[in-house]
Each structure stands twice: as C-alpha cells, then as structure tokens.
Amino acid sequence: MSWRIGPALALILATACTGGTPGVGTHSPSPVQGALTGGLIAYLGDQGVGVLDPTTGKSVLVAPLPAGGAFRASGPVWAPAPGLEYPVLYFTIHDDRPAERRTTAGVVPYDWLFRADPFRGTIEPVAASADLQSEGPFGLVANSHYLALTVGCCANYEADAFDLTRASSPAKVLAKPPAQAALFTEGAAPGNDGLIAVRSVGTGLWYWLNPSAGVLNPFPLALGPEDGPIAISADGTLAAISLPDQGPVIEPINVAAPIASPSPASGAPSAPAATPTHGSPAPSAAPRHVNSKLPHADALAWSPDAKQLALAVGGEVEIYSATAADGAPPVNRYPAAGNIIGVDWSGPLTRESLALVKPNHGPQAIVDALLDATKLPAAADSPEARPLTKVYLWQFDSSNSSPIAAITDPTAAVLQQYPPLPAAVAFHHWAASGTWALLGGCIRYRVVITGSVTPTASTFGLGSNTACNAPGVTPTPSPTAKGSPSK
C-alpha cells in the first residue's frame, strides 16, 4: 500500500506490525478515490468468497473455491487481524471430496478456518482439524474480540472461539457435551466484550455466551427455537432476526447484559453455567417485519449506519431499508454469484476502494499441501504395517529457536522432556487428534513416524514450512505458542 499513502502512515503501519507505538504528531491521510465510506459487503457463493460495493453494485471474487462442491464453506465475516488497521475476511471450509478408505485413495477430511485480506490479496490458514464425522463448521460470527463457530453433528455440537486480539491463538472450547449443553452460535454483539448469541440445541432457549468468563447470561429478546441467525447493528441497539418463514424481523436490543467474571480461584474460565444469571428486561417494542413474504434468510448484515439490511436470501444479496413498511421491495438486488448463502457488511473503509481489492488463489493449494505433509511413508502404508506405525507430533513457535525442530528419534528421554501431541494413523495418512489441533501463523509442527519404518522426521506448517526466524523471513510472533508442546 506504500505507493498510495504518505510516509507518515507508512511509518505508523510499520510500527504497528512490529508491536511498537506510533510516534506523536502523525496524521491520517485523506480518503482515497472511490473510498468505501458505506462499507463493503462480503458474500459466499458457489464460486467462493467475494466482495461487493453496495454503492456501485460491482463485485470482485476474492477467494475462489473449486467447482463441483469439493469444499463446503461457511461465512464470511469481517473481523480484525493483528497488525492491521482495517478488518479482513474470515471463512471456513470442510473438505468434502471423497474420503480415503483402506483400499482406495482419497482425502482426510479437514475443517479449516481461513483469513483473507482483500486489499493485500493474501490468504492464510488460522487453524485446521481433521473431521471425519460432520459436514464442517457453521454459525460463524465475530466481533472485535472473538470469532466463534459451531462444529460437530448429531446433537454433539461444540461451540469454539478464537481470540482475534492475539496471533495464532488456540481455539477456546466454550461448550462441549456432555459436560455442557450443546449450543448453536447465532450472532455476536459488537464491541470488545465479545458476547456471543447462542441457542441451546436441546431446549431452544437463547443466551449471551461470554467467552472470556465462560458463562451464560440471559438473552434480552424472546426468540424461538427455530429462529436465527441474527445480526446486531454496530451501535448495539437493533437486532435483525431471520425467522423460519415470514422473512426477517427487526427489534430493539440491549447488549449491555450482565457479564460474569471468571472465578479468581480457578485462573481459567469456567464452563457455561447450567442456569443463567438474572438479566436485563427485554425491550418492549414489537418486532417489525422487513418483508413477511420472504423465506428464511441464510444470513443478515447491517449497513454501518443501520439504515439498511443486507440479506442472503433466494441465492442472492438483497438490500432492504430498515424503516420501510412490511412488504416493500428491496432497495437493490445483487446476484453477484450463484447460490449466495453468506453475507456480512463491513464498517466504513475510508482508506480503501474496490479498485484496490486483490484476489488471491483460494484455499485449495493450502489444503492439498497439508495432505501431502501428512502422507505415510510408502513402507508404512500397508495393512500389515499400519498397526505397527507410531506417529509423534510436536508443536513449536518458529519465530524462536526451539530444540523441537531438531528431534529425529522419539527416545524415552525426548518424550519425557517434550511430551507429544495426540496423533494417529488414518489409513494412508496420519492426523492430529482433537478439534483445531493445528494452528497457522508462525506455529510449526515436527513429526516423527516410526514403529513400522526407520524413524522418519519432517517439519511442516499450515501456511508455510519455512520457519519464521529463517534468514530473509520476517517473523510474526505468536504469543500463545510455546517452545514445547502441551498434552
């Protein structure tokens, strides 16, 4: 971006990326030509993730997806990224290509969380996990603190969150049966408190879920078990709720729900409370229909000024006035791509324009690279050898020197000093166990395969196999990563 900004801003961005403080006396440049003062709409369709300028109706496909339904995707959502002054796009995919079997080739199905910067043309993996049971994550929601989603199937749904204020932050399990109730993530309150709107799978009751404290609070609106998803305006005063039929409704909302604090004795967030604490009374205004003739909207998003509402409905993006009478036609309709099922609307982007959007290559190369990195050695890939094959996996932060990067043989002394992460053979590949076990950023993984073969060691990362502290590589510190793995 340096060619279109002044030296002062370039210094600010360089300082921000290295964790420093901008110097006093710097100032922001004037808005660029064609600045997106009304925000930018992101959408998900059959072709992939794209962005749409609501002022001109022009769109750009940012992250293409392979044809034929190879990946099942959800999102996108606008959310912050460390070191950037503007929001970027987050979306998930599930590898839906034919899975490998004992006697046939195929893929190990993985769930992926990706971050795409439409103004730099970059895409990077945030996290990945092997998923042989479900159809991938859904209910992707975000605010300035957390990104939350739901994974799982068959009433065994798990709600997870990623802390967006930290680089390469591991997923935090917010609710997981049987210890906690199964929850669907349905929306997010604006602001840094990070409250997530969730709906109980069993009872259909709605709550605020506080990811920081790990507790449930009452939800201020009386919503039904089939309602959702919802979108909350940037000022936290209006909620748009997608109904099973009769289109979305708009209600006033109070997002200042009571926020419980984590127990000082535990030092860690507790599980969501079985019984919610007392909350604020629900607003008294009656719900107001946007267009009661519409079917269920797959996604909703407010304009920055809350005067318009974007819907992913009927396979396209439709924009409605938030104050129009029920049944009024949409202000605009955008069939930007086939079968649009996701939509989100950014805040004002005064330093960016649609002309500055740069498409990336999409996620497939990154997905396939992990499949290549986790292949079993040929000598270990047989019915006779697989029961004898052992996989040892370690995680380390490659922005720092780590002895883990040099492990070649998992001796008893090595295993005692550096306990490995759980991993197991899955037919012709191996896979790390646990949800979101693999992280992006500067995190790298050392793997040693032995038992049926001579110990074979390698190092890989989700986005790159090169260490962040390698010569010529600018490291991105990962404050949550450790030099030795955790069990």
Side-chain angles (χ1 to χ4, degrees), residues 456-480:
T456 304
S458 60
T459 299
F460 73 94
L462 289 187
S464 172
N465 295 339
T466 304
C468 284
N469 65 351
V473 176
T474 302
T476 303
S478 302
T480 58

Side-chain angles (χ1 to χ4, degrees), residues 275-296:
T275 302
T277 57
H278 180 69
S280 305
S284 57
R288 179 163 49 83
H289 285 269
V290 175
N291 186 340
S292 55
K293 295 181 180 180
L294 289 175
H296 177 265

Side-chain angles (χ1 to χ4, degrees), residues 29-137:
S30 301
V32 300
Q33 183 177 4
L36 301 163
T37 55
L40 190 61
I41 296 175
Y43 64 86
L44 169 66
D46 285 342
Q47 298 178 23
V49 175
V51 292
L52 168 70
D53 183 355
T55 303
T56 64
K58 296 180 180 179
S59 63
V60 178
L61 186 65
V62 172
L65 296 177
F71 296 156
R72 187 183 298 269
S74 68
V77 294
W78 292 100
L84 293 178
E85 295 184 344
Y86 54 81
V88 296
L89 293 171
Y90 292 81
F91 65 96
T92 71
I93 65 168
H94 173 76
D95 197 338
D96 226 13
R97 293 174 291 184
E100 65 181 10
R101 295 291 184 264
R102 189 180 306 276
T103 58
T104 59
V107 304
V108 176
Y110 275 87
D111 295 335
W112 290 82
L113 173 61
F114 281 97
R115 176 169 51 220
D117 185 336
F119 303 109
R120 292 183 177 179
T122 59
I123 183 171
E124 55 182 325
V126 177
S129 62
D131 183 357
L132 282 69
Q133 295 183 338
S134 82
E135 294 183 338

Side-chain angles (χ1 to χ4, degrees), residues 20 42 106 181 225 317 322 387 425:
V317 177
V425 173

